[in-house]
Amino acid sequence: MNPEQMRDASLLELFQLETRTQVEVLNKGLLALEHDPTSAPQLEACMRAAHSLKGAARIVDLHPAVRIAHAMEDCLVEAREGRLRLQAAHIDALLMGADLLQRVATPGAELGSEIDELLARLSNAPHAQPAAPAPAPAAKPADLLPPIPAVDEAPAPAPQRRSSDAGLGEGERVLRVTADTLNKLLGLSSETLVESHWIGPFGASMLRLKRTQAGALQALDGVRAALAGQALEAQAQAALDDALRIVEQCQQELAQRTSEVDEFGWRMGHLAQRLYDTALACRMRPFGDGVAGMARMVRDVGRALGKQVRLEIEGESTQVDRDILEKLDAPLMHLLRNAVDHGIEMPQDRLAAGKPAEGRIRLSARHAAGMLLIELTDDGAGISLDRLRVEVVQRKLASAETAARLTEAELLEFLFLSGFSTRGEVTEISGRGVGLDVVQTMVRQLRGAVRIQQQTGQGTRFMLEMPLSLSVVRSLLVEVQEEIYAFPLAYVNHALQVRAEDIEQLEGHQHFRFMDRQIGLVSARQILRTGGAAPAAETVCVVLVGDHDRLYGIAVDRYVGERTLVVQPLDPRLGKVQDVMAGALMDDGTPLLILDVEDMLVSVQKLVAGGQLTRVDGAGAAEQARRRKRVLVVDDSLTVRELERKLLLNRGFDVAVAVDGMDGWNMLRGEDFDLVVTDVDMPRMDGIELVSRIKADPKLQGLPVMVVSYKDREEDRRRGLDAGADYYLAKGSFHDDALLDAVEDLIGKART
């Protein structure tokens, strides 16, 4: 490429950059003019943007762009001078021109026919009676604008600043820095911040040394006092005096150094915090940068549906991590399209409901409690709870009776299920089953959470809560096998203390009841493969994670507390470490791992599918296991199973139940029992096969087994005993004492 071509390419890049900036001005101004066609400031801003683009297009010799910008400028000049009142058709054509200006700078773009159509639309758009020119506000001398030069005399445009540079002061320079460099800078600053915290413990150790030194000085004073009045050799007296003098000097030196360390620690910590905050600020961008085109999108979708909709954005200056801002684009677009399509009613319906014909959607961003809060609210029809209940029942997600009892909050949670849509027909905008589950997934990837509220007939509100930066994460710290791990708080539903006695065994898995729901319990030690069973405790610390159909309790050893951690990515050479998202350092420099909760849920499901879950026991359960003998009741009849369980419990035995032979066999491989009481006729694995497997297993063959069956014939009894059963009890002659007496004959009393 020769120098001339390089110069042309550079100018084209500048034109593309300016086009993006000026098109943002046009979009914003034209949307405002749609509501106030005579707004002098907006007309002036749009006309100047078109004029600047026309001059810039002439510089780069982009004649199609000159035609577009010139036609738009003529239309806006007429409107500014009061010879034309802008109507919807004009706004549509001008917005089309803004789109074409962005496309025309793309190499190879062939837009001749579209440009001709635009010029025709601008010339043929209906002309209303011209409005009286709005009086121009009195301007201060500093606000006066220079006259607009003639078309043929348009100077080269001045470089335009991007909206993200809007906060720069005069004379400030803008440099290009790669995202990777910023990430490294943030990582180094976070390490500096962590290292600065080391000074605190060091200062504390010096204080302890100072106290020890003071004790030594006091001891020497005691020695001198004890020897007072006694005749000492001159050499001994001199040595004692020297020792006292040296210790006193050390005491003074330590006091001075301790004071200096304290002052240095404060300065170092303050400086490290400022360095980290500044490095973090380099990653931040105004919220408005990421939502600049959304008002236009809402307007276009509304027009396509025959609706009048306006988007109001608040908190545009709110600082957001650039990575979060980029990844928020898709979920916010989805929510906005849903709000226009599902929420905002047709104009005639709104008027009939006593609302203005134009619907309003409000998108706001703010910082609160160290988090980024984004709210999207519309004043539409809200969500029909009755229709939602019907949809839940039709999809067999709940019975009609259960659906009728669901609260509003519980019903709205169904909207986040995969493929769930209340739209009856498929359109280009909605009804394809790609619903709010996509939004929730994207938000959760940002370590955030999304909630929904609605008021029928008044509108719907979505609340997105996310960290201020992906470089830091608010976490729940827990201890597992004497190691500290972090659960990102965005993935934690609840942190519970579950009593060991409330943990139940169901179909080979441990569960506990929470908010009228059975929650599966899994050991963090097993998921992380850290070693043996958890220590005995009266209660079990449980972190509740997941949602909807995969909600689990992860049992940990203890809670450490909440911390804001600086995320340290793992070395790429390690690849994807199972169940781990990243690393971090605590304030004292202790390294820890931040857990990948989504990955952990997959690991849990694999353990469940493979029947490999181990038991989670607290002190209460362990102590009861030592005090009471354990009996496993295996029966596919709920009535018989419950009857036998209660009888044995009342006699003081610890009882677990299994619904068939396969379930019982899985439990026997993972837990210890003193006796098995089993039925014969059961699905998947009958009692005879279960007895045979037990007696063939070297580890279980000594376990007593009692068969309880309706079959009372001698051959049936012989078949059970031949399989290895130690006792055969027919249900035909079954009564309470018979069962309990047989159990005690086999294993003795319940108490050890």
Side-chain angles (χ1 to χ4, degrees), residues 297-318:
M297 183 274 292
V298 167
R299 185 258 185 196
D300 290 346
V301 172
R303 295 272 291 175
L305 295 172
K307 299 178 179 181
Q308 300 176 25
V309 194
R310 183 176 186 178
L311 174 63
E312 298 175 350
I313 300 176
E314 299 178 3
E316 291 182 271
S317 62
T318 301

Side-chain angles (χ1 to χ4, degrees), residues 427-445:
T427 69
E428 293 183 358
I429 298 174
S430 63
R432 300 180 184 276
V434 182
L436 295 177
D437 65 303
V438 175
V439 174
Q440 187 180 59
T441 299
M442 292 178 177
V443 172
R444 288 180 71 87
Q445 288 173 354

Side-chain angles (χ1 to χ4, degrees), residues 227-233 237:
L227 296 176
Q230 297 184 22
L232 293 177
E233 294 182 3
Q237 185 65 48

